[in-house]
């Protein structure tokens, strides 16, 4: 199972929300707060399940939302670093 663009956008939204609230994030929160291509909360829930299987999300309790794993934060930071390349002038 690979990380496609839709899964990555959902993972980014979960990480952003968790950083802001420190509360496990549910599919309904993502579908209401973030514009992820008009996906239903059921579709987001399925993608979150896949992300959990891939090791990017953890579920602290059975009925709770998900929280990002260390692996997810690593991917998130690396993606930010790729976008924010320094110019030669800034590097000097």
């Amino acid at each position: 199972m690979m990380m496609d663009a839709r899964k990555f956008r959902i993972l980014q939204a979960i990480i952003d929300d968790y950083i802001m609230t420190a509360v496990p994030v549910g599919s309904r929160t993502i579908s209401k707060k973030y514009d992820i291509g008009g996906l239903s909360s059921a579709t987001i829930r399925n993608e979150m399940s896949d992300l959990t299987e891939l090791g990017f999300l953890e579920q602290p309790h059975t009925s709770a939302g998900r929280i990002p794993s260390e692996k997810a934060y690593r991917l998130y930071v690396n993606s930010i670093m790729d976008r924010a390349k320094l110019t030669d002038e800034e590097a000097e």
Side-chain angles (χ1 to χ4, degrees):
M1 197 178 310
M2 288 182 48
M3 171 83 68
D4 59 23
R6 182 165 79 177
K7 279 182 182 56
F8 187 72
R9 283 195 326 261
I10 290 169
L11 183 61
Q12 280 185 304
I14 291 168
I15 293 170
D16 289 341
D17 201 76
Y18 188 72
I19 288 171
M20 296 299 291
T21 65
V23 173
V25 183
S27 57
R28 189 173 162 101
T29 300
I30 298 303
S31 70
K32 287 186 176 282
K33 283 175 113 174
Y34 299 91
D35 180 25
I36 309 220
L39 299 177
S40 70
S41 58
T43 301
I44 293 170
R45 201 167 27 258
N46 288 335
E47 294 287 10
M48 289 171 75
S49 178
D50 290 347
L51 288 166
T52 301
E53 286 180 26
L54 290 169
F56 290 103
L57 297 176
E58 298 170 355
Q59 191 170 16
H61 306 289
T62 306
S63 61
R66 307 289 202 305
I67 61 171
S69 68
E70 186 177 319
K71 182 178 179 180
Y73 284 122
R74 211 171 309 124
L75 177 66
Y76 185 78
V77 169
N78 288 340
S79 73
I80 291 170
M81 296 301 288
D82 284 343
R83 281 186 268 142
K85 296 275 187 209
L86 296 177
T87 65
D88 292 336
E89 187 178 292
E90 291 171 330
E92 287 180 22

